[in-house]
Each structure stands twice: as C-alpha cells, then as structure tokens.
Amino acid sequence: QSMSASLSLVTLPPVGGTLSATEGMSRSPRLGALCKTDEDFSELAFLEFAVALYQWAHEARGRHDRHALSAFFSAAALETFMAGSAELKSVSDVRVGQVRTLSVYADERWASVELELRGVQTEQLGETTLEVFRTESWRFRRRAEVRLSLIHI
C-alpha cells in the first residue's frame, strides 16, 4: 500500500478490533487545530466514534431505520444517504479500511471536520448478496460549546 506524504491516512482494524495510539497513529496537524478551541479534544476518540457511527449507520440503512439515523443526520443528508436503498434488505459486515481528513474548521462558535471513509460491506438485495466497496465523505459539525465527555467504567 502506498500513501502520499500530503495525506492524513489512518489504517483501521476490522470491526471489533481496537485502535491504539501505539499503532503508528500520530496527531494529524489538521485535527490538532481543534485543540485550540477544545483542549479536551481527543483525535483517537473522535476517529473511533466516526468509524463506529459509519458502521452503525450503514447497518441502520439496511434496516431502513430512518428514525434512528435522524438523530445523527440532517434531513438533506439523510435523504442522500438513503437514496437508492429501497430494494436493500440488509447491510452487514461493515469494515472501514481507511479514514482521511479532508478539512477542519474551528472557531469560537463552530467546529467541523470532514472525513473520507473507505470500506467494504455486505449488502443483501433480494436474493443477491454483494460485497460493496464504498468511499464516502462525511462532515461532522458541532457548536463550539459542546464538549465530548469520556466516561471510564
């Protein structure tokens, strides 16, 4: 696998695996900009959340669970995400292979990160089962005063 030095690429483990800071992941200079407005921002926690949400959302898309998805998607994003899924019976085995930071914006009012996620998933369309490779761009946005709290049990 070749990577350009100008890209922020992170190779992630298969579903159920864990991502640790010791696996060659260093703080992306782009995501580091968020620390200026949120000193508690954790790149590792954010990327784990983004990957988990991606996996969960595609499985919910396979169940046509618009209600659950509406908690995380704007109305327009939900329509785009669900487009073409009328014949879809299920989505399973969602595996993310790469995450790339496309853009970061942070000021005193808003924080926004756009990621490109590449992965493979199993889609059931009627009696046909397909392995589908997807590359998607997801934008995460929150008000600056909203902070992530990590609870350790």
Side-chain angles (χ1 to χ4, degrees):
Q1 173 183 0
S2 64
M3 293 191 288
S4 168
S6 64
L7 300 178
S8 298
L9 292 176
V10 178
T11 301
L12 298 175
V15 175
T18 59
L19 180 67
S20 73
T22 60
E23 293 177 12
M25 186 176 148
S26 60
R27 179 175 295 280
S28 164
R30 289 179 168 181
L31 289 177
L34 292 175
C35 290
K36 293 177 183 172
T37 59
D38 182 357
E39 62 279 354
D40 295 324
F41 176 77
S42 166
E43 183 175 357
L44 181 60
F46 172 72
L47 291 174
E48 286 180 341
F49 166 77
V51 169
L53 180 62
Y54 178 89
Q55 293 166 331
W56 173 84
H58 276 287
E59 290 169 358
R61 181 176 63 88
R63 295 186 306 272
H64 304 276
D65 193 346
R66 288 176 172 270
H67 178 72
L69 291 167
S70 68
F72 295 95
F73 288 79
S74 68
L78 183 56
E79 288 307 311
T80 300
F81 187 68
M82 295 298 291
S85 64
E87 302 297 318
L88 192 59
K89 294 204 179 227
S90 69
V91 175
S92 61
D93 198 24
V94 180
R95 299 174 309 270
V96 175
Q98 290 183 334
V99 177
R100 180 170 66 116
T101 304
L102 298 177
S103 67
V104 175
Y105 174 80
D107 66 16
E108 63 279 349
R109 295 182 332 155
W110 290 99
S112 172
V113 177
E114 185 175 4
L115 299 176
E116 177 184 83
L117 296 108
R118 295 178 182 221
V120 176
Q121 59 199 31
T122 303
E123 295 189 1
Q124 184 75 36
L125 297 164
E127 297 300 315
T128 305
T129 302
L130 303 169
E131 291 291 319
V132 179
F133 176 80
R134 300 180 73 99
T135 299
E136 297 179 358
S137 173
W138 284 38
R139 179 173 292 130
F140 296 83
R141 187 175 120 164
R142 67 169 168 84
R143 289 187 315 275
E145 67 268 11
V146 175
R147 298 288 191 250
L148 173 67
S149 295
L150 298 177
I151 300 172
H152 300 282
I153 299 175

